Every structure is written in structure tokens, then in C-alpha cells.
Amino acid sequence: MSGQPDLGRADLVSMLAELTAKPADQVPDRLGSMELAWLVHMVEQRHDRRLDLSDDELAGIRTVDDALAVFRGALTAPADG
């Protein structure tokens, strides 16, 4: 895959709104472990690709913007196999 993946901040906020049953404008920017696991799962489902994230990458995700940067990087990396 080349170029920027079809994934934006609004997409992640929408996914979190689905998890928390809150309106998107009430979704907090900070992520807990459950929210992060949900986002990884949803992005993998949406893009039909497993995100092979390192422990360091996961540990560095604290906010929606952090997650977006890491996920975009993972989605633009060449897929194994």
C-alpha cells in the first residue's frame, strides 16, 4: 500500500464513540488499555490487515492522535507474507 491510508482522527473518534456509547464530541482524547485494544481491533477489521505493533509502539499510545500516527505508520508499512 502506498500513500496515506484511509484513516483519520474522526474515524478513530467514531470507533471510540461506538465503544463508549457516547456522542463523538464527548469521547475523551486520552486512551486506556481497553480503548486502545478496541481501536487496534477495529482498524484491523476495517483495513483487513493485522497491525504488527511492537510493545514500544503500544506503550507510546496515550491519545487518539498518538494512535492515529502509529496506525498510519503500520498501515503504510509493507505487509509480511
Side-chain angles (χ1 to χ4, degrees):
M1 173 184 266
S2 63
Q4 194 76 320
D6 180 24
L7 181 67
R9 188 179 199 287
D11 297 314
L12 297 183
V13 170
S14 176
M15 291 173 196
L16 289 169
E18 181 181 334
L19 171 68
T20 62
K22 293 182 180 180
D25 64 347
Q26 292 182 14
V27 171
D29 189 56
R30 303 257 329 147
L31 300 175
S33 58
M34 186 170 89
E35 291 86 6
L36 178 54
W38 175 258
L39 287 178
V40 169
H41 168 74
M42 293 300 292
V43 170
E44 288 178 340
Q45 292 288 315
R46 177 176 172 179
H47 291 273
D48 194 28
R49 180 163 173 197
R50 186 172 186 279
L51 300 178
D52 190 20
L53 303 176
S54 70
D55 290 342
D56 288 340
E57 287 173 314
L58 290 169
I61 299 174
R62 305 233 187 264
T63 66
V64 173
D65 290 332
D66 294 341
L68 181 59
V70 171
F71 295 164
R72 281 183 171 171
L75 290 170
T76 57
D80 290 339

